[in-house]
Each structure stands twice: as C-alpha cells, then as structure tokens.
Amino acid sequence: MANVRKITHPRRKDGSTKSSWRATWTAPDGKRQSKNFPRKAEADTWLRDVGAGRVGGSSAMTVTELAAAHMRYFDGLVKAGEREAVTLDGYRTVSSVHLAAHPGFARRRLCDLTAPSIQTFLDETFARTGSADLAARVRRTLVTWCKFGMRRGWLHANPAQVCVVERTRRTSDEKGNGFNLPDKATLAALLTAAGKGPHAARDTAVVRLLMFGGLRISELLGVADDALVLKPNAATVRVRERLQRRHRTLGPPKSAKARRDVPVGETAALAVRAWRLARGPVRAFSHRDGQLLTTRVGGRLFPAPDGGDVWFYDDFINGCWLPLMRRAELVEMLPDSKGKNRPVAVFSPHTLRHVAASLWIAQGLSPKKVQDLLGHSTIQLTMDLYGHLWTDPDADDALAQASERLIGLV
C-alpha cells in the first residue's frame, strides 16, 4: 500500500525545525521502501509514477548485483547448450569494464534506477570510449539485464528501453560509406599473387571464395568440407557453421539469416576442386562447439597447414593473408606501439566481402537478394552499407527529362 505522510525532523541546535514529505510503497521484491521529498506534490507525483510502472525496483539490489544474477543465470544456459559462451563474455565485459568505470552507477539501487540515470551512464560511456557502437552494445546489455530483473520481480519497468545512443549523422562523402573498395587492378594483382605462391591452390581458393562468395572470415574458416557442393560449372557453399575467434570454437552462424546457401561461379568452383586435390582428404575430429561442449564434426575445407583440424584466425592472417598481400605489393610498413616497423596489409580479408556485394549489385541484384546472399540480419543493414551503390544515372536523367515533358504538356 502506498501513502504520503509529513515527517518532522528532530530540532536542530539553533532551535529550528525541518519537515519533509515521505512517500512509501511496497517494492516488487515485497519490501517496503520510501523516499523523502521537500514538497508533498513531488511525493504524490513519484507515487503516481510508481503506480504507472515508470519507476520502481528493489530497494536492496544494486545494478552490479542485477548483472551478476543475470550472468549466473546465463551461464547455466551456456552449460545447457542453449546459448553461446561468447555472448556471456560480452556481458562480463560490460560488467567488469564499463560498470567498473562508473562505480556510482554500479552501486545504484534498482529503486533509484531511472531512464535519466541510465542515459547519463551511456553518455559518459560514449564520451570515455569514443565509440557509438560500443555504447550501443552497453545499452543492449542493460536492456537485457532490466528485462531479466522484471521477470524476477526486482524491477517494475525497463528504464533502459527508452534510452538511446546518439550518432552523428554525416553525408556519404564525409563518412566514406564505411569502407573503400579496391580498384580492379588491385583485385587482379591479388588474384595473380594468389596463384604464384608456395600454396597457390589454397590461396586461390581462399581469395575466390571471399571475393565472389562474400563469406565472412569466421564462415570461411568454419565451413565444413562437405558443406561445399560442387556442380558441373559452379558450386554452392552451405553456410551452417562459423569459427568463433576468441574461444576458437565452432558454432552456428551469427543469426538465422546468416544460415544460407551462397552460389559461386565456375572459376571459383574449379579453384576449390584444385585445392581439394592438392590438400587430400580430411578427417572428422572432436571439437568444442559454441557452448564449449565437445562434439564430433566433419573435417574443414581449410584445415590448419600444420596438420591441425581447424585453421585459427591469427594463424590465417600471419600464414596466408600477409604473405599473399606482400606478394601483391599491398603491404605497408607501419610503426607499432614500440616504434618498430611491422607489415600491415592495405586492406583486410573482410574487404573482399564488400567487393562481392558490389559485384552482385553491379549485376542488377535487388537489395533483398543481396541481403540473403550476405546473410545480413536486416535489410536496413544492407542498405546502410551498400545503398549508395544502387544508382542509375541514365535512369535519373530520363526521369528528369520526362518530368519536364509532363510540365510542358500542362
């Protein structure tokens, strides 16, 4: 039961007295909690907000304790095989890094957790890290924690849901559309270099699958040998697994949309055939999946060159990508944190995914088809990345001329 009553505080040494208005209500955890206000109207407004579900939570639990409770619950899901360990790592990072950087917010009781307090925390996180993407991930984590708190009866509402991470909107010219596409001469040099190295068959298959199949690196390194279906003049890559970089585990794709079949042309198919012949057969092996459970899986299309069953990301970059880029004269020597020059590729393997998308768009594929081939979770993501490539100057000119003719007929 909620109520507001006037409180008279003990007399001060100078003989003066002070009074306030105390609003009391029963928290979702069943405990009575109260807040003092200088005016009765403020106390009444607060209780109305509580009744409407706009504020209110446990008077004993803090944000840190809520996060810890959720992670214990999520750890059980990981062990049961329902969720991936990498997701739990993300929650732990938010708690150990970003909550730890703001102890005042981390110690805030849930009964005092409001949208303005969360928004301030997100704004400070953005200012501290300089990354809108990182601040947005922190916000999504807070939304998840608050939803968990509501299910457990520790929160009356989800104040994180209405918070936002403001992004600076820039024109395409200012932000460069997020990536730079190599020119045709550079791509031709890369293909030529792939065919001249000591591992020509492997490198050629890698480059052509990335350039014409648009696979993510995690998907290329995680694809099973039998997931590539060869046809007389083409091939289809069945994307069903990916290699998680941090845990070095095989697991499902990033999203349901990422589970897809990607067609590749005759040249890429011939490159894969040549690689399989040079490589020889691969064997099944025991490996940890995304839930860190040991499972039996088939051999990979690109196993580790040293005889291992899985080719891990860092080994791929150092043993394949950098030497390949060096042969194509696409490596720069840049100083590291200690001032020592080290080789850095002009672009990463992920750039070839953008190349594949641009080639599909140039052939007239619709945004929806490109989304399906790339495995994007939403069409908005596809349009944000590649919307500027769907241009037709001739059609624009024809439209302008037709509009003028219509006006001329009036």
Side-chain angles (χ1 to χ4, degrees), residues 66-297:
L66 172 63
H70 175 262
M71 288 186 289
R72 287 194 298 270
Y73 163 77
F74 200 89
D75 182 59
L77 295 180
V78 172
K79 293 177 179 177
E82 299 295 330
R83 295 292 187 274
E84 290 198 35
V86 64
T87 307
L88 179 59
D89 287 341
Y91 294 145
R92 286 171 174 164
T93 298
V94 173
S95 178
S96 62
V97 176
H98 304 295
L99 283 185
H102 297 83
F105 178 79
R107 292 194 298 266
R108 183 178 288 267
R109 296 184 303 168
L110 299 189
C111 61
D112 297 324
L113 188 63
T114 60
S117 65
I118 294 176
Q119 187 64 60
T120 299
F121 167 69
L122 293 175
D123 292 343
E124 292 175 351
T125 300
F126 187 5
R128 178 175 57 85
T129 63
S131 172
D133 290 337
L134 191 151
R137 288 197 296 270
V138 172
R139 176 197 170 273
R140 291 194 295 270
T141 298
L142 289 173
V143 170
T144 299
W145 288 345
C146 289
K147 286 182 179 179
F148 175 76
M150 291 177 64
R151 295 197 300 269
R152 291 295 186 270
W154 300 326
L155 274 173
H156 202 305
N158 190 335
Q161 194 74 58
V162 298
C163 297
V164 298
V165 175
E166 299 289 353
R167 299 173 184 266
T168 302
R169 296 188 179 275
R170 299 175 293 175
T171 64
S172 297
D173 291 340
E174 289 175 329
K175 65 183 180 179
N177 299 306
F179 59 88
N180 292 316
L181 288 174
D183 56 33
K184 292 182 179 179
T186 299
L187 296 175
L190 182 62
L191 284 169
T192 300
K196 290 183 177 181
H199 306 284
R202 181 199 68 189
D203 294 351
T204 300
V206 165
V207 170
R208 289 193 176 275
L209 284 179
L210 293 176
M211 188 180 298
F212 302 116
L215 301 182
R216 300 177 177 92
I217 298 304
S218 60
E219 295 168 347
L220 179 81
L221 300 180
V223 68
D225 188 59
D226 59 2
L228 193 134
V229 181
L230 292 173
K231 304 174 183 178
N233 297 315
T236 299
V237 183
R238 300 171 63 248
V239 180
R240 300 294 185 270
E241 295 174 286
R242 69 184 177 105
L243 181 64
Q244 201 283 321
R245 178 177 177 181
R246 179 174 180 180
H247 288 284
R248 296 187 169 191
T249 57
L250 292 170
K254 293 182 65 176
S255 65
K257 288 287 187 180
R259 184 183 175 91
R260 64 200 189 279
D261 294 342
V262 181
V264 293
E266 181 178 7
T267 307
L270 290 174
V272 173
R273 289 177 185 272
W275 161 237
R276 277 176 160 172
L277 288 173
R279 180 206 63 193
V282 290
R283 65 183 186 279
F285 60 97
S286 296
H287 191 75
R288 292 187 304 168
D289 61 13
Q291 288 76 38
L292 305 185
L293 301 175
T294 301
T295 183
R296 192 74 176 170
V297 296

Side-chain angles (χ1 to χ4, degrees), residues 320-334:
C320 175
W321 188 252
L322 273 177
L324 171 61
M325 294 291 280
R326 186 180 285 110
R327 293 197 302 273
E329 298 183 356
L330 296 173
V331 168
E332 300 175 343
M333 298 302 293
L334 299 177

